[in-house]
Amino acid sequence: MRDKKIVANGLQFHIVDYGGQCEETVLCIHGLTANARCWDAIAERLVHRYRVLALDLRGRGDSEKPQTGYSVKQHAEDINKIIQQLNLDQVILVGHSLGAMIGVVFSSMYPKMVSSLILIDGGEDLRPEVVDLLKPSIERVEKQYETFAGYKAQVSEIPFFSPWNDYLEQYFYADVTHCDDGSVVSKTRKGIINEELINLTKPNINECHAAIQVPTLILWAPNCLFHPTAYLISQENGMKLAQMIDGGKFVEIRGANHFSILFHEYQQTSSEILDYLHEVSAGKLRATKM
């Protein structure tokens, strides 16, 4: 695993290159307040078949943070330029949460640049009740902690992240700037997250569904945000979307919540991705809408 910096669309972006020798490249896109290291567990299990890259979106992690420009369409345009800078013709695009929304929009805008699409617990218009339930994740933004240990102690008490493990440790370590005095502070800003949320309240994801032309796997977390209606994609809508797309498939990740689908149930999540991509490459699943 190594860190890379590239300039695309006028900004500097940070990419984690997990390696892998296959000609096919998997590009992973994180969620609203996340960073590229959320993909560690999944990437470890994909690199024996694929080259795996994970991106810090603009405003997150170690990527550049302009004052404005935080919308799914803008992220899609960034990713288009990043893929070009990497000299890639196509990618397997994998997105979680906001990253799944971006994946839907990107696939509708640049269909020839995606060979397969993996949507992990996301991919439809944002529900209003979701914003309230994401507040624990949003509250840590811009808050300074005296030590990383204090920061870890607080986030480890959030039910989404229980039980704690090494993948969470590395993810949250990468989430903050480590200051000389030992204190830590989030690498992103509340203004960035607030602008993103405002733009996400404007319906624009669902209208892109009909334009998806590539095989698409939808992985669903039944416990999402521990709320009966606060889903980033509901079971009903996820199944409908899979049926709408040629080569579409819907799979429930047993017992998963919106975060554990990456950090705890990564064995099933990565296995479903690998099995699905094998089916696609074997010609068992193929999109016919062009």
Side-chain angles (χ1 to χ4, degrees):
M1 182 177 71
R2 58 195 178 97
D3 295 306
K4 302 173 67 172
K5 290 286 184 74
I6 66 169
V7 176
N9 221 14
L11 298 176
Q12 188 177 75
F13 289 91
H14 170 244
I15 293 174
V16 178
D17 187 341
Y18 290 98
Q21 302 301 315
C22 182
E23 292 182 2
E24 290 186 273
T25 298
V26 173
L27 180 60
C28 302
I29 312 299
H30 63 72
L32 180 67
T33 62
N35 66 76
R37 294 296 300 273
C38 71
W39 297 104
D40 283 9
I42 304 298
E44 283 181 12
R45 288 153 181 82
L46 299 187
V47 290
H48 66 287
R49 290 195 198 172
Y50 302 97
R51 181 190 183 194
V52 182
L53 306 174
L55 167 70
D56 277 337
L57 294 169
R58 62 163 60 204
R60 277 67 161 204
D62 294 318
S63 289
E64 198 169 341
K65 301 170 179 64
Q67 290 298 315
T68 60
Y70 298 97
S71 68
V72 287
K73 184 177 180 181
Q74 181 62 69
H75 292 308
E77 291 173 358
D78 289 344
I79 293 167
N80 174 48
K81 296 298 184 182
I82 289 167
I83 292 172
Q84 292 180 37
Q85 283 294 102
L86 293 169
N87 294 314
L88 300 172
D89 294 324
Q90 280 190 325
V91 296
I92 298 165
L93 196 62
V94 181
H96 171 248
S97 192
L98 171 65
M101 298 177 185
I102 295 167
V104 168
V105 174
F106 183 88
S107 297
S108 71
M109 293 172 64
Y110 307 103
K112 294 183 178 180
M113 301 187 75
V114 183
S115 60
S116 296
L117 178 63
I118 314 294
L119 306 178
I120 301 180
D121 211 38
E124 68 177 15
D125 287 336
L126 187 67
R127 296 170 180 234
E129 60 266 38
V130 167
V131 178
D132 288 337
L133 292 171
L134 288 177
K135 283 181 179 178
S137 294
I138 297 171
E139 281 304 310
R140 72 175 187 268
V141 173
E142 284 192 352
K143 184 176 180 180
Q144 191 155 10
Y145 297 82
E146 291 185 0
T147 63
F148 177 70
Y151 173 60
K152 184 177 78 170
Q154 179 168 322
V155 295
S156 65
E157 292 178 356
I158 299 173
F160 298 126
F161 305 128
S162 180
W164 195 258
N165 62 24
D166 288 342
Y167 293 118
L168 285 162
E169 181 93 11
Q170 294 304 315
Y171 165 69
F172 280 105
Y173 190 88
D175 190 54
V176 292
T177 298
H178 297 259
C179 304
D180 292 341
D181 63 359
S183 65
V184 298
V185 63
S186 172
K187 289 179 179 177
T188 192
R189 301 190 302 268
K190 280 192 176 179
I192 289 170
I193 304 304
N194 289 336
E195 181 180 335
E196 196 87 65
L197 287 171
I198 289 169
N199 286 323
L200 284 172
T201 61
K202 305 170 186 175
N204 53 12
I205 310 299
N206 293 358
E207 64 188 29
C208 297
H209 288 166
I212 297 175
Q213 301 175 6
V214 297
T216 300
L217 172 65
I218 302 163
L219 299 179
W220 181 64
N223 295 327
C224 194
L225 300 176
F226 302 128
H227 185 281
T229 63
Y231 287 99
L232 275 293
I233 189 165
S234 69
Q235 182 179 33
E236 179 183 7
N237 291 342
M239 294 178 73
K240 285 181 179 178
L241 179 57
Q243 292 169 359
M244 179 192 304
I245 299 168
D246 292 331
K249 185 176 182 180
F250 177 89
V251 177
E252 175 182 337
I253 303 300
R254 296 179 299 275
N257 68 54
H258 188 60
F259 299 94
S260 71
I261 198 169
L262 298 183
F263 294 108
H264 297 116
E265 279 77 33
Y266 49 81
Q267 295 282 12
Q268 186 189 353
T269 298
S270 56
S271 178
E272 294 291 353
I273 293 172
L274 287 168
D275 289 349
Y276 181 78
L277 293 177
H278 177 72
E279 290 182 17
V280 172
S281 64
K284 297 178 181 179
L285 293 168
R286 193 183 309 277
T288 58
K289 291 188 291 187
M290 298 298 292

